[in-house]
Amino acid sequence: MSKLRVAVLGAKGRIGSEAVRAVEAAEDMELVAALGRDDKLETLVETGAQVAVELTNPASVMGNLDFCVRHGIHGVVGTTGWTDDRLAQLKGWLEQFPETGVLIAPNFSIGAVLTMKFAQIAAPLFESVEVVELHHPNKADAPSGTATRTAQLIAEARARAGSAPAPDATVTALEGARGADVDGVPVHAVRLRGLLAHQEVLLGGEGETLTIRHDSLHHSSFMPGVLLGVRRVVTTPGLTFGLENFLDLN
Amino acid sequence: MSKLRVAVLGAKGRIGSEAVRAVEAAEDMELVAALGRDDKLETLVETGAQVAVELTNPASVMGNLDFCVRHGIHGVVGTTGWTDDRLAQLKGWLEQFPETGVLIAPNFSIGAVLTMKFAQIAAPLFESVEVVELHHPNKADAPSGTATRTAQLIAEARARAGSAPAPDATVTALEGARGADVDGVPVHAVRLRGLLAHQEVLLGGEGETLTIRHDSLHHSSFMPGVLLGVRRVVTTPGLTFGLENFLDLN
Amino acid sequence: MSKLRVAVLGAKGRIGSEAVRAVEAAEDMELVAALGRDDKLETLVETGAQVAVELTNPASVMGNLDFCVRHGIHGVVGTTGWTDDRLAQLKGWLEQFPETGVLIAPNFSIGAVLTMKFAQIAAPLFESVEVVELHHPNKADAPSGTATRTAQLIAEARARAGSAPAPDATVTALEGARGADVDGVPVHAVRLRGLLAHQEVLLGGEGETLTIRHDSLHHSSFMPGVLLGVRRVVTTPGLTFGLENFLDLN
Amino acid sequence: MSKLRVAVLGAKGRIGSEAVRAVEAAEDMELVAALGRDDKLETLVETGAQVAVELTNPASVMGNLDFCVRHGIHGVVGTTGWTDDRLAQLKGWLEQFPETGVLIAPNFSIGAVLTMKFAQIAAPLFESVEVVELHHPNKADAPSGTATRTAQLIAEARARAGSAPAPDATVTALEGARGADVDGVPVHAVRLRGLLAHQEVLLGGEGETLTIRHDSLHHSSFMPGVLLGVRRVVTTPGLTFGLENFLDLN
């Protein structure tokens, strides 16, 4: 089987250089280009790239994708800053080139994506659900964006299912003891030297609990998700938003 | 809204009496009959039972279900001992009464069912997967039936997806250190005073791990699953095998 | 070896009746009396009780211990409500009967006592420490008394050692996200159906974390501590406050 | 307060270079020398080093320590290969220079040392105890040396206390399910991509469990122990074997 020809855009950045290493290490891929800020996009065509991994910045991403789509090069995009307008524009381009696919993923960690998905499935099936996130103490926000998003998805799933509020007989509490309230879901943020990024979704029903825990122990954790995106995008024309769509969750 | 009229068969047993309590406590249900060994099935008709919770034994279950199906009473069945022959016979009955539904569930614990389901989904998406189960020290078998079943489902999911074997560079090992091998999935059994029944599925990929943990802390843990089965079976004609089909997993 | 002759005071209460069962089940003990509210203390003398397990109430405990100490019967006391005055009075009695021992234990759970002790030892040796407690949702206070006490002991240990405050770069936080502040130690309280009483002490330093977790899964968890108290008090004259003194922690 | 003058021997190695960084970052220390293989020991005297961190190899360590002790320079030693003969020789040198101190530590991770210590304390106080260690899948031995050592210490503590064997009613088991037997303590070894080095000691008694978990998330985890050793060794003349002696465990 011939190898997938992959380029990395933003190859000099911290994440981009990890992506370069990951593509090089993947047996079913060949790294054909690793472009930095000043390199020309034409290289993608000259090297016959089939997929471009886009890890640049919001100022560059639209121009890069415009070029890729027009040349039939599929995109796997980790760059952030997506608005409805931008998404509509990208969809327009893809309608003109209906065989080309683009995956945009706010989170490439398979563990993080599955945690959110499993939490949504399980949340309406238990009486109680809370989120505990644990991070290194240099983090500026609490709770983490991932934990807040997870709690929101949990709340939406419970609202859709008509779940009752979780039971809580607390009468006297120290301020903060019961965590932050994110759409009715308590979220607790632990800060501890030695940790990187960790999250637990705790679900409880009569006589049993279910815990879904995700531990990010190294910043390379998003690489398997990038590689999976590369493998799948070539047979998935159009726009796909969210890695969960490539995870065969059913 | 009128309440669901529910009967319990095998109401004098340990599990049956828990079911009686659970149905009585459910606001949307009315317990109309609680039958023991010597009580007559006609009571189900006389009391207008809509659903029968069948918690008897393999010798009684077929007779009970034959009666229920013929009288349009839906069944939620925890009794074990199902063979292909028995299932075929039950399906035959249900074809004659196409508006009646029967749920057979080998496991009514929502947490246990979700753990298996999530493990199957996640297993092909990580390089490594192992199972650790932890039980009270009076248990006679190791690993537990649930852990063995979970490992088999994991192995099947990985085989279907063409997953490579999990990496393991172990060269020198004490006998037993790496656990039992269930279809290629290591399973470890801990026995500890104070525990009841607990299971962890550990999944690992580049830079991250995902852990799904189920804790059964009380034998009442299967009751929410029974009640959920009762609520769903009335609108699910035919035979349903496995509670997972009622959990909206997609 | 002859068996220890043990009496239980408050034997009709929920905890007292557990203690009766535990003493009866202990191979090295003989239950010689199980006294309720209306039974006479003279029974302790008539039955030759060597140790009295005192599980009554603050209104009765002083009279009971006065009688026991005067008759050379050792005491293992779970009744609460101890003030400096009461302790001074009890010490006075014990000085007159210097061969008699009394253990007063605010907490008989060996796991809870060890958790507090280990937390105190470890707290000054790590940069960060936080407490997460998890309980059933019928609990009225948050955090639990045990978690608050644990955090206070941690704070005292760190103050004694001159530890710096734990690092925390949080700039923007949802209210409550970082938990309750107990003497500078963040304490988070989770409420989940299915749980009983659980506590984690999380410690973090450069590149590593240490977690001490205590799970109470059944209210019988204090019984091993009571039995250990009975065995030790007979050779420990005078007043002992706290089960930790009998745990050979050094 | 004047800063501690610290030298690192073996400063070019992976661990040595971490030590150099850690000493440089410590506010109460000054790095006065960082010696590689070919550098002269006299530098230690010329730079006024008070403490030498010895991270070389068994072939060099004795010569280095001989020099240090003779010049009144305290030692903090991570190099392995200590035999009774070597220890006796070192003790002889220290007797001639009674104001000099040397710490030899087989493990500088505070979390690992505390886990072992706590396990020893707790093991005789619970009916059941097992060890689960979890490592990356490139590890060649199972169980890990640390887990084996922990289990041995647990077994010794229980033997000293006259503990009964842990209860285990297992009748039918898959081979390996119950783990490796290390002096009667079951030890389970999990291998998972994404992990570094982790260990749990699980203890269980009537109605409760206690879990002591150590997570090494980065190889820098031994640095706080080295710095602590440096601070303490200057006031601890003679030979100290094991970091636990500097941890104020009582």
Side-chain angles (χ1 to χ4, degrees), chain B residues 60-191:
Chain B
S60 305
V61 65
M62 292 307 282
N64 290 341
L65 289 179
D66 182 18
F67 181 92
C68 288
V69 172
R70 276 190 287 113
H71 290 86
I73 301 169
H74 308 285
V76 170
V77 184
T79 302
T80 57
W82 290 94
T83 60
D84 287 349
D85 279 358
R86 289 191 153 204
L87 289 171
Q89 191 171 14
L90 176 57
K91 274 182 199 162
W93 298 339
L94 285 165
E95 277 162 18
Q96 292 182 275
F97 297 86
E99 298 190 354
T100 305
V102 171
L103 166 70
I104 300 175
N107 197 329
F108 274 108
S109 154
I110 292 171
V113 170
L114 286 180
T115 298
M116 288 191 216
K117 184 70 187 175
F118 292 165
Q120 284 173 277
I121 292 172
L125 297 167
F126 288 88
E127 280 184 71
S128 307
V129 54
E130 306 207 359
V131 176
V132 180
E133 57 92 334
L134 313 95
H135 283 82
H136 59 84
N138 301 327
K139 190 169 178 57
D141 53 323
S144 69
T146 300
T148 302
R149 182 77 190 123
T150 304
Q152 289 167 340
L153 292 170
I154 287 168
E156 286 170 19
R158 287 173 70 95
R160 265 196 309 275
S163 308
D168 184 357
T170 307
V171 175
T172 56
L174 280 185
E175 195 184 317
R178 292 286 292 116
D181 181 318
V182 176
D183 298 351
V185 178
V187 181
H188 311 267
V190 173
R191 295 292 169 264

Side-chain angles (χ1 to χ4, degrees), chain C residues 3 6 69 85 90 107-108 112-115 118 130 133 144 152-153 160 165 194 203-204 220 224 228 241 243:
Chain C
K3 296 186 176 189
V6 182
V69 172
D85 280 358
L90 176 57
N107 198 329
F108 275 108
V113 171
L114 286 180
T115 298
F118 292 165
E130 306 206 0
E133 57 93 331
S144 70
Q152 289 167 340
L153 293 170
R160 267 197 308 275
L203 303 126
S220 62
L228 188 144
F241 195 91
L243 187 66

